[in-house]
Structures are given as C-alpha cells and as structure tokens.
Amino acid sequence: MRLRSSVFASSCLLVQALGVALFLRGFFPVPVRSVPRREARADPPAEPAPPGPGMVSNWTKIPPPLFKKIVIVLIDALRDDFVFGFKGKQFMPYTTQVVEKGTSYSFIAEAKPPTVTMPRVKALMTGSIPGFIDVVVNLNSPALLDDNLIWQAKTAGKRIIFYGDDTWVKLFPKHFVEYDGTTSFFVSDFTEVDDNVTRHLDRVLKREDWDLLILHYLGLDHIGHMTGPNSPLVGPKLREMDNILKKIHISLLSKEEASLPNLLVVCGDHGMSETGSHGGSSEGEVHTPLLFISSAFEKRSVPLAQPEHVQQTDLASTLAIGLGLPISRNSVGNLILPVVAGKTMREQLRFVHLNGFQLSRLLQENTPAYEKDPGYEHFKIAEKSHGNWIKLYLEGNNSEILLNLGKKVLKQYLEALKTLSSSLSKQVAQYDMYSMMVGTVIIMEVLLLLLLSVPKALSKRAEFEVPLSSPLFSLLFYLMCLMLCAVHVIVCTSAESLCYFCSMSWLTAVGVMMLISALMCGILSAVAKIFENSRLPPKNPIVSSSNWSEIDVLILAGTIGHVLSLGASSFIEEEHQTWYFLINTLCLVLCQELCRNNFLLKECEPQHSTNVRRNSDSTGETSESKNIDIPTASNSKLGKATSSSEFIKGSDKWISLATPWIILTCCRLLRSLNQTGVQWAHRPDFGHWLTSSDHKSELSFLAAVSLLMIFFLVQRRCSLVSKIAMALGLLGVYSYRAAIGNVIFPWQHGGKDISKGITEARFVYVFVLGIVFTGTKDLLKSQVISADSSMKSTGLWEVYSGLVLLAALLFRPHNLPVLVFCLLIQTMMTKYIWIPLKFDAAQITIMHYWFGQAFFYFQGNSNGIASVDISAGFVGLDSYVELPAIFLTAFATYAGPFLWAIHLLCCLSSEVSRAITITASSKLWHEKSCADLSVFSASIQRGRGSAATKSRNSAAVGHGCFCYALMRSIPIAIYVVLVTGLRYHLFIWSVFSPKLLYEGVHVFITAAVCLFFTAMDQNHSYKVQD
C-alpha cells in the first residue's frame, strides 16, 4: 500500500493523540480516597477510655453545634492583600475595623494548585485536595459524590440556601432548599452577576427558616480576568463587597439569641496573579483571606499584626465542628483551634480528638504500614494522655495540674494533626500506571515509526510503500496480540484499584492491543528493510549523502537540547528562554549563510561553475539510470549559493543581509512587551505600562498603528472583496476595544459608558467568516473542479487572512504588536531568506515550528495555567456557550503556533505553484530554441534542473506535514517518559503537570493542522521521470 508522506504523518499523529489521551487519563485520575456516603455517617468515637477498672466516659455523641446560623461569603479571586493590605484599608473600611478591633479571627488560607474555582470549592467543602485534572472538568462540573459538608448538613436536617456561581448547583444538586445560580464563565459581566446575588439578601436575612447561607460573588474575578488586579474597577468592587459584609454582620448581630451566637465566614476560593488570571501557584494566586466573625469571640485588644497561615482544607473540619456535624471522611484538614478557644478544655480536647480519629482512620484506609507513620504514633500517644486527663476530670480534680495536663494533651493533638495532615496530603491520588504505560507504548511506537520513515517520507516522491500485508498477517502479529490480551486479563483481574483502561469494553481493549501489535510489527518490518538495504552495494557512490550545513546542525542540536531541558523544573518554568535563544541563534546562522552566499562564494563561482555543471550532469544521468532519489549539486552548499546569487541583486541584496538583524530587533522588542515564566514574571514590562489607566492614549495609538500595519501586511495576496472585508473587520476590532473601555477614539471623552461590545465583536465575526468562506470556496474549486495550484494558493492566503483577523479581535490591545511582528517576520523570511537561499521544505518547516513556539511565549503565555486568557473565549458572547468559548480560548492561546503552521502551508503551496510555472515556461522556451545546437544543449540542462525543482517543490507540502508531525512527536514522547519517572517530584503538580496539559492540547491541535495539510496535499498526480 503506497501512502503519501502527509497521509502517513497525519495517521501517525492521530494514533499518537490517542496514546496521549490515554496517558493523560492515567496520569490525572479521579482521587481514590472517596468513601461511599452510606458509610460516612458511622457512629462517632467516644472519648478515650480512662485507665483503670470501672471508669467509662459518658460522652459518646457528636458535640452540639456552636453556632445557630452560619453565613459563608465567598468572594471569587479575593487576594489576601485586598483585605489585609493597603487596598483593604482604603476600600474595605468596615471589614478592616472588624479585623483589627472587632470580635473576629483572621487567617491567610493557602490554596493548593490548580487555583481554579471548582477544585477550590471541593477543597472548601470536603477538606480534601482535588485532583489536578479538575482544572479540565472545571468547565462542566459533575455532581460531587464524595462525603462533604453540604451533604452532611442536608442529612442532618439543616436548611441551606445558596446564591451565586452555579458551580455549586452542579456539585451539590438537590441539596439547597433555595438557590439562584449564575454562570461563572461570562467574564465580561462585572455587575449583574453580583447584583443577582445581592438582590436576595434583604429578604433572606429577615427570615428564620435557614441554618446555612452561602453567597458566591464573581464580579471581582471577572474584573481581574479582563483588566487585572491593579484596575481602577477593583476599588469600587471591594467597596461594594465591604457594604455587603457590613449589612450581613449587622443583621446577624441583631437577630442573635442568648443561647447560640451566629457566625460570618469571609473567604476566597483563590487569588489572582499580577495579570489577573489564576490557576498557577504564585503567591498572589494561592493566598486568600479567611475571616471568622462572631460575637462568641473575644474582642481584640490590640491590632492584628500578621495573620496566621492555615490551609484552605481546614475550613471544612472547622465548619463541621461549628455546625455539630461529623467531619468529612476524606478531609485532610485540621481544626482551626482559635475558633473553639472559648470552649471548656474538655470540649476542646473532644473536638481535636474527633479530628485526629478521622485523619488516622483515613490514613489506615490508604496506607498499609500506617502504624509506622509518625502522625499515627503521635495521635496514639496524645489519645493515651487524653485518657489520663479524662480520669482526673471524672475524679473531680479541678487543680492547676488538670489545666496544665489539658494544655499538654492539646499540644500533642495539634502536633499529631499536623503530621497526619501532611502525610495524607502527599497521597492525594494514586496514578493509574497501567493506562499510563499503554499510552506511553503507543506514543513511543509512533515516534519510532516516524523516525524510521524519514528517508522515504522526505524523498522526491514524498510517498513510500507501507507493507501492511506481511506484518498484519504474520505469526508475530497474532502472537503479540495474544500475549498483550493475556497481560490485559491478568492486570485487570488482579488490580486492587480501579483502572480506566480496564473499565473499557473488551472490544475496545482488544482493538488497542491490535493497534500496538500492528505498530510494533511495522517497526520491525522497517528495521529489517533498513538492514537489508544496508547490505546492498551503494547505487551511486559519486554523490555524498552526508552533506550537513550549519542550519542542519543547529536544527538537530536545538531539537535535542530542548527535549533534554524538559527534565528540569527550572527549564520548564523558563522554557521561553530556550526558544528565544534558539531563534536568536538561528538568525545569526542565517546571517552567516547570507554573507557566504553574497560575498565569499561569489568570488570563487567562476572557477567552480564548470565543476558544478559536470557534477550535476553526472548526478542527473546516474539518477535517471538507477531510478533512485539523490540530491543533485543544486542541493549542496555550493550549488545552492550559485543558484541563489541570481535572485539577490541590487537593493534586495542589502535588505536580505539586514533581514536577520531586523528579526533580532523585533524579537528583542517582543521580549520586553510581556514578562512570562516564573522567576521574572513579577517585574514590570511594557505591557503593564500600556495597560495602566494613565496610558490609555498611548495604548490607543499603538493599537491603531498595529491594526493599520496588519492590514498592509495581510492584504497583499487577497482579492479586492477580502481587502475591503479585512479593512472593515480591523475597524470593527478597534471599535470593540473602544466599546469595552480598553482604548479610546480621538473624539471620545473619558465619561463614555463601558459596554460588553457584543455588537462590535459580532460585526467582526461576520467579516472573519466571510473571508474564510471566500478562501474555502477557492480551495474547493482547486481540489474538486480544476487542479489549479494558483487558485489553491490564493484560497489558502484568504483563509490565513481570516484567521489573522480573528487573532486581532481576540488579542488584547497591547498584544497587537505581537501579531504585527509575526506577519512582518513571516514576510521578510519568505522573500529575503527562504526563497533566495533555496531552503528545502524540511528546513523551512522546522524554522516555522521554532518561530511558532517562540511566538507562543511572546504572547505572554507560559507553562502555567494562570497565563491562559479565558476572557478571549467570551468575546462577542452574551452568555456562556461551551463549544465557542473553548474554541476561542484555545485559538487565542495557541494563535502563535497555529498562524505559523498555516503560513507554512501557504508558503509550501506557493512553492508548488511556482514549480509548475517554472516548468511550463521552461518547456515553451525549449520548443522555441531547439534550432541552435548550443541553445539546445543549454535547454536540456535547464529542463533537467526544472524537473528536479518541480519534483522537489511538488512534494513540499508532504515534506512539511511529515516534519511538522515529527517535531511535535519528539517532545511529547520524551516528556511522557520524563513525567512518569518524576511523578513523585516535589514540583510535579505545580510545574510538570501544567506543562503536560499544554503538551497534550498541542498534540491535538497539531493533529488537526496535519489533517488540513493532508487535505491540501492533492498535487500527487505528478510523475518523477525515471
């Protein structure tokens, strides 16, 4: 079976995407410590038995509730400095007064990554640490089946009311007696999403038919996503929250009875980074305020110096004690002791004993050697001391000895709780190793198959014979299938924990085993063929096959160096530095190549021209007689220089020499636009300066100039209709940004109301779809009606222009220069480097890939979840629609690599069109000039060169698709092996796991790009003359 290189590469990448999905499912499993709810309300333990005969404690029940009503106010993305810092004093005066002088306890709660809403809500209500994969399912939260505070309260007959983020309604369906949910993903809504919560307050606070009220405010988080933490909108929003807290606190105080006080809890689910996003592990994202306000607490005599740090998971245990409920079975949190410090010593010891018993039981369920755990040993010691204290207490001893012993036991319990919680936090989830190994095997097999196929896939034909019959019907194939199926049965029947791959149907599992066997047989067949060919004598000993240029050495060294750097956490955090270094080095090597072609080799061109021609003749004759793919002298360094000197003349020569330095200058400017990574992300950059409210005029001018530059750089190859649509679309982009308040029109005054810009954004979408539709129509004509390569090239440029317009709409205004420099570098590289220097498709593809990776980071992206700009997913939407939001967010995030990939396809398709044009003109010139013998001889030589050029250029798209797939397969294959080996690394969840998600999504996007390459690679009707 003969396959084109593009078809083979796309098929391999799709199979590899399957392996990546299976590996991700195994690496990010559902947490394994979930206890069925029917077991969660077991009888609580009694107090430790006092030593001695006949003495029994009479306290076997759960302690009664400490508070009558509890109100939880969760302010999304509330950073600790918004309350305890300067902004808190300025914009939240009432809260600051209560914190510093009121009856309250203040803490800084530390959230574990990923710092996104749904996992944080789980942590707050269950006390457990959710799996990292929750960052993916955050968009569509399933019902929470684990034991949690909300379920315990409902089961105990507590009446719960909720208003706010509908994530709670999805996690806890049918748990609230009254609720009103609002979507959390429509980030351009700053006011209505909070007004929808506040409008219920007056009515609910007057009622007595509830025990727990939960309010989740989203406006602050949306402001952060759109404008950042230093936005002028943050202050008024904090003042609004302060007034709400004041209203609730005063209402709770006015309705308190003598029996039980009420409690107001103020917290945040996560913070926000300096750019306004969240999801990572920076200090601004993980530190949130946690306030307990109640008349039951003593009034603070001195102002609060520095709040104590606690874990966010501690809230679930503390609220369970406060409501008189059992602590959630999966909780790893500790009781926050100051909240119960006003109770008697016996009550305090009872509370911490319940917490310690729950943690020790959880440790027993998940650790075989739990008795040797230091936390368990400390708990048993504290429990024994507690029994001695109970004995003294029941004997009626009220001396100071009893008090001191009680304090000692309390201290022992707190140390045990801390150690137990630390041990359990390190065992958040166990890896599904079987699914990970199956996924890794598929990924590595695909990589080996691609590497072994390089010689044939990059040949002049760009196609090769895939021997399917011999591997698929060989004895080895059936033996491997039987062996793998036997292993699957053994693993799935003996596994103690649930394995995702084992949960698949047997038909699916057998299909995967057959796929693995087929890939292995294909690899062995390819290796055998290579060994067989190596034994044959060389068919063309004249031509050297090892002709490596500096570009080739740099490409190989850069690829290997980048892959090896993925094993270090610091290199992953600062990966942008690797790509900046590689493209800077590439520019210097290109500068050297241009200088050699224009100056050094030009002097020796005459004396070598005869040798070059003779070598070309002999090579061509040998190639024709032996029917093999051999690079001619024009592919060599000297031949390339000789042919390229004809194209670089006059002023173009000096522009070509200046191009690498212009690109270096552009890259340096882009680096100063957005600080990314971890180490230097906090430093101010030009982007921060532009987005500050004091420089809106400068930002507006830069955005207008950038949009004009985008039009002039893109419209060159567009039709007249598309040029008009592009101009109107870019005008709509500026109007959209002006409507939402990012930029201003010259005639606009500062008092203009800020809107959502939905009409303006949809206006742009119309032109995007129109331009893409025009290009798609030309592509269909060229593919179906007439094989017109020029029409196909025009259609591709139209599609590319539409995508550029979409990127301009989704990019924030200060990032528009990134798009300008992207287009400028693409234009200059194509005109002054790739075409004159006659780089082949493989080299051009790898350069595109490198620049695409660099522009991913030039946009301000990093390998942390917090740098994802989710506000791009809601441009032009008046409500949350899942598929468009996901597509727009993914496109905005990967716009750099995606635009460079589509430009690569346009560039290679233009090469095909150029090759056909050159061949047709050469044939016509040959027919007119055969009368003269010398001219006839020259025509033969030129026709032979044109044929070689045509065969090479006609296969350019196939070569590009194959190289692009290979460049994506190498890092993901090596990285899954590295991550598997480093799965117990200290930074596995904060550094390596987010990078794994980025790599996985990039594989899926590359697979889609390669499918587009394959659809466009229809020029396979050419024949290479044998």
Side-chain angles (χ1 to χ4, degrees), residues 463-685:
E463 61 181 13
F464 50 92
E465 186 71 30
V466 179
L468 289 180
S469 57
S470 54
L472 290 181
F473 297 101
S474 64
L475 179 61
L476 177 62
F477 172 74
Y478 293 112
L479 287 176
M480 288 190 66
C481 284
L482 289 175
M483 183 184 69
L484 291 175
C485 289
V487 171
H488 182 70
V489 171
I490 293 172
V491 172
C492 294
T493 54
S494 62
E496 297 179 359
S497 60
L498 180 63
C499 172
Y500 173 72
F501 190 55
C502 293
S503 66
M504 291 182 174
S505 66
W506 280 101
L507 186 62
T508 305
V510 170
V512 173
M513 298 305 173
M514 292 179 66
L515 175 63
I516 294 175
S517 303
L519 289 173
M520 181 57 66
C521 290
I523 291 171
L524 295 176
S525 176
V527 172
K529 195 166 185 179
I530 290 175
F531 275 109
E532 181 182 345
N533 292 336
S534 65
R535 295 177 181 178
L536 300 176
K539 296 183 178 181
N540 188 17
I542 309 172
V543 180
S544 173
S545 59
S546 58
N547 187 17
W548 285 66
S549 66
E550 289 87 347
I551 294 290
D552 299 325
V553 174
L554 173 62
I555 286 172
L556 179 63
T559 302
I560 295 175
H562 167 254
V563 169
L564 293 178
S565 71
L566 297 178
S569 60
S570 297
F571 276 94
I572 292 177
E573 290 177 337
E574 309 298 325
E575 188 184 357
H576 59 285
Q577 302 286 5
T578 302
W579 289 112
Y580 296 166
F581 172 78
L582 288 178
I583 61 171
N584 290 343
T585 308
L586 175 64
C587 288
L588 294 177
V589 174
L590 290 174
C591 183
Q592 178 193 12
E593 190 79 12
L594 287 167
C595 290
R596 177 191 293 115
N597 292 335
N598 284 281
F599 300 113
L600 297 181
L601 295 180
K602 191 172 182 180
E603 298 175 358
C604 57
E605 181 181 334
Q607 62 183 1
H608 283 286
S609 59
T610 305
N611 296 333
V612 170
R613 190 181 301 113
R614 186 179 302 143
N615 189 26
S616 178
D617 292 340
S618 61
T619 302
E621 292 169 3
T622 309
S623 177
E624 290 175 3
S625 62
K626 299 295 184 180
N627 189 24
I628 57 176
D629 298 327
I630 300 173
T632 62
S634 61
N635 287 332
S636 67
K637 197 181 299 180
L638 182 60
K640 186 188 294 185
T642 305
S643 60
S644 64
S645 62
E646 302 173 1
F647 293 87
I648 308 178
K649 296 179 180 179
S651 60
D652 285 353
K653 167 184 172 181
W654 301 107
I655 297 177
S656 178
L657 289 170
T659 294
W661 301 103
I662 295 174
I663 295 173
L664 283 172
T665 304
C666 293
C667 293
R668 185 62 191 88
L669 292 174
L670 289 174
R671 290 183 65 173
S672 63
L673 183 63
N674 290 306
Q675 290 283 2
T676 184
V678 174
Q679 299 297 329
W680 296 278
H682 63 280
R683 293 187 177 180
D685 50 39

Side-chain angles (χ1 to χ4, degrees), residues 378-397:
H378 292 164
F379 173 71
K380 285 302 179 183
I381 294 173
E383 198 173 37
K384 186 176 180 180
S385 301
H386 190 185
N388 294 329
W389 187 92
I390 292 292
K391 180 181 178 181
L392 292 175
Y393 179 81
L394 294 178
E395 290 176 349
N397 190 332

